[in-house]
Amino acid sequence: MNTFWMCMMCGWVYDPAAGDPDGGIAPGTAFEDVPKDWKCPSCGAAKTDFELVEI
């Protein structure tokens, strides 16, 4: 199984390898290192709306 950080509002999955370049997060950035004020690029949810899930 793989673990991912998923937005519980819309289901968007944060991929550390890809980061979020449009949101200022460089590829290779661990979710733990993403700034607290970062928002989901899909729905605008807060970082606190993400949960670690196993797929």
Side-chain angles (χ1 to χ4, degrees), residues 35-54:
K36 291 180 182 183
D37 63 349
W38 175 80
K39 304 286 185 196
C40 175
S42 178
C43 72
K47 182 180 175 184
T48 56
D49 291 318
F50 281 70
E51 291 185 15
L52 190 60
V53 295
E54 290 186 7

Side-chain angles (χ1 to χ4, degrees), residues 3-50:
T3 56
F4 299 94
W5 286 93
M6 179 183 288
C7 177
M8 295 291 105
M9 304 303 273
C10 73
W12 188 83
V13 175
Y14 178 77
D15 179 1
D20 177 21
D22 292 338
I25 309 301
T29 302
F31 189 76
E32 294 81 5
D33 295 330
V34 171
K36 291 180 182 183
D37 63 349
W38 175 80
K39 304 286 185 196
C40 175
S42 178
C43 72
K47 182 180 175 184
T48 56
D49 291 318
F50 281 70

